[in-house]
Amino acid sequence: MTDKSALKVVVIGGGIFGVSTAVHLARLGAETTIVTDGRIANGASSRSLAWLNSARKRSAAYHRLRVQGLERYRAFAAKHDCGTWLRFDGGLTWDADDAANQIREIFRHEQSIGYETRLLAPDDIAAVTPGVDAKAVSPQGAIFNAGEGWVDLPSLIGLLLSEFRDRGGRILTDTGSTDVTLANGRVSGVKTASGQVVDADAVVVATGPAVPGMAAKVGRRIGDGTTRALLVFSKPVPHPLRAVLNTPRVAIRPTPNGAFALDSAWSEDEVIVHDDGTYEAKPSTIAGLLEEGSRVLEGNPTLVLESHHMGPKPIPADGEPVIGQLTGIPGYHVVFSHSGATLGLVAGELLAGEIVSGTPSPLLEPFRPSRFDAGAKLSTSR
């Protein structure tokens, strides 16, 4: 590894993982360039509900990393004026009224690991967090996690990019497809679709759902469970809801301009993927999602469509993040995860630290790409 004052790093991808990693690299003195195929934040970061949480059940290692992710946001909020687009007003979740309802079990689990949690009867919700129609909540009750929140990722990315530029960072947008170049078995830089070459000591591939395909080009497998995403924004509507809602038929959060962002599993399943790779959401799907949002909100306000965003949703095959260097290719680093919002700041910080110092982060050890190598266990963090 070269001396860190001369370290040159290219980050491919202009979403939250790419920009966060780039700004942390710049803070550590690396000469850093962001390369992105289109405009900044044109991919998965533009269609994420961006719920900041570590709710329900997951591996202990993944929970620890997500909790650190939440802490990084709180520290960030203490230093920046981001009151309208980064909020910690809690999260409220409930399950359907059927045999699969796990709310009490999840509540006991969250208590056991020290995650801030309350189990509320439907009629008790209003006194804890406003804006919810109690009639929509199943009789088993709902869990309120006071430490959760949401972030508007484009706003966060914009602020990080401003710092990145101030620190001398370079940004190349609309480059089209970019490939990582190798020399003597290690990274030498990148080459854009137009043939522009940028030399580098290390490259970070933070291209969301494209990460597994890019790794495959150099003979490395990353298990891929990528599916479809559909995020719908309503027009602004006066309403007291402040928490993020995660319900059987809709997830919903406020937005900086007084509107709502909504998604769900069923509406994503209805997204049509055409043979040419384009995505289509039926008007009935969008209307149905807005109606489901109205049903869980106090007063059942009419929600009117403002915009919607579709595309692939990056999800590793085992559901857990993939962060770090590809096996046997010095300088080739990847970051690939479904939890881009929650992990955005901490993953960028830890990965940048590894690249500059050469010292692996213990927090990232369970999430290495090597778990997908031939003969490896699917996940070392289970």
Side-chain angles (χ1 to χ4, degrees):
M1 185 67 70
T2 60
D3 182 81
K4 71 177 182 180
S5 64
L7 188 70
K8 295 180 180 180
V9 186
V10 173
V11 177
I12 307 176
I16 183 56
F17 279 140
V19 172
S20 173
T21 305
V23 77
H24 281 101
L25 284 164
R27 289 174 184 174
L28 294 172
E31 183 180 318
T32 309
T33 302
I34 295 173
V35 178
T36 182
D37 60 353
R39 58 182 175 79
I40 293 292
N42 70 330
S45 291
S46 69
R47 47 185 180 264
S48 168
L49 188 72
W51 171 30
L52 306 177
N53 77 95
S54 189
R56 302 186 81 96
K57 291 184 178 180
R58 51 183 44 85
S59 72
Y62 194 10
H63 175 69
R64 283 194 296 271
L65 186 61
R66 291 174 74 103
V67 168
Q68 288 303 309
L70 296 176
E71 288 302 318
R72 295 307 193 277
Y73 273 102
R74 292 189 182 95
F76 186 89
K79 296 179 180 179
H80 298 86
D81 180 13
C82 47
T84 61
W85 53 264
L86 173 58
R87 302 292 304 176
F88 281 98
D89 295 312
L92 187 76
T93 182
W94 67 88
D95 290 352
D97 181 16
D98 57 30
N101 188 295
Q102 293 185 305
I103 282 298
R104 291 187 179 276
E105 178 185 346
I106 295 300
F107 170 65
R108 289 191 294 269
H109 168 73
E110 291 180 349
Q111 277 189 315
S112 74
I113 61 174
Y115 192 63
E116 190 172 4
T117 184
R118 293 181 64 179
L119 181 61
L120 302 173
D123 290 341
D124 293 335
I125 292 171
V128 176
T129 185
V132 180
D133 187 340
K135 299 188 298 299
V137 182
S138 56
Q140 294 89 341
I143 291 172
F144 182 67
N145 302 114
E148 296 179 356
W150 60 269
V151 61
D152 181 72
L153 285 176
S155 297
L156 172 61
I157 290 169
L159 187 58
L160 293 176
L161 273 182
S162 178
E163 178 185 346
F164 180 69
R165 291 189 181 97
D166 289 345
R167 292 182 178 275
R170 180 185 181 199
I171 304 170
L172 303 178
T173 60
D174 301 300
T175 62
S177 177
T178 296
D179 288 322
V180 180
T181 57
L182 306 180
N184 301 316
R186 66 160 298 129
V187 159
S188 61
V190 303
K191 185 176 182 180
T192 70
S194 67
Q196 182 177 4
V197 173
V198 182
D199 295 331
D201 304 299
V203 172
V204 177
V205 174
T207 52
V211 169
M214 293 185 69
K217 288 183 177 181
V218 293
R220 299 297 181 269
R221 176 179 177 267
I222 293 176
D224 188 12
T226 293
T227 183
R228 293 159 289 185
L230 170 64
L231 186 68
V232 170
F233 287 95
S234 75
K235 290 184 180 295
V237 56
H239 199 271
L241 183 73
R242 296 293 177 267
V244 180
L245 303 184
N246 186 19
T247 85
R249 294 284 295 174
V250 65
I252 183 169
R253 67 156 170 88
T255 70
N257 69 339
F260 291 112
L262 311 92
D263 72 6
S264 73
W266 67 264
S267 57
E268 291 172 347
D269 288 343
E270 291 186 4
V271 171
I272 300 166
V273 183
H274 295 291
D275 292 340
D276 63 358
T278 58
Y279 289 73
E280 178 186 353
K282 296 179 291 186
S284 60
T285 299
I286 294 174
L289 189 59
L290 291 168
E291 289 169 5
E292 294 290 353
S294 175
R295 289 191 184 102
V296 302
L297 294 173
E298 176 185 303
N300 308 124
T302 298
L303 300 182
V304 178
L305 176 67
E306 176 66 41
S307 64
H308 69 286
H309 304 260
M310 299 171 294
K313 176 186 288 187
I315 303 177
D318 60 3
E320 302 214 335
V322 184
I323 308 173
Q325 184 172 281
L326 293 183
T327 304
I329 308 180
Y332 196 130
H333 305 265
V334 300
V335 54
F336 175 52
S337 177
H338 171 46
S339 49
T342 300
L343 298 185
L345 294 179
V346 71
E349 172 194 328
L350 297 178
L351 183 56
E354 288 189 339
I355 293 169
V356 173
S357 70
T359 303
S361 165
L363 273 174
L364 296 182
E365 281 306 306
F367 309 111
R368 301 306 187 189
S370 59
R371 72 181 189 266
F372 295 106
D373 294 346
K377 293 181 180 179
L378 182 63
S379 174
T380 59
S381 59
R382 293 292 180 188

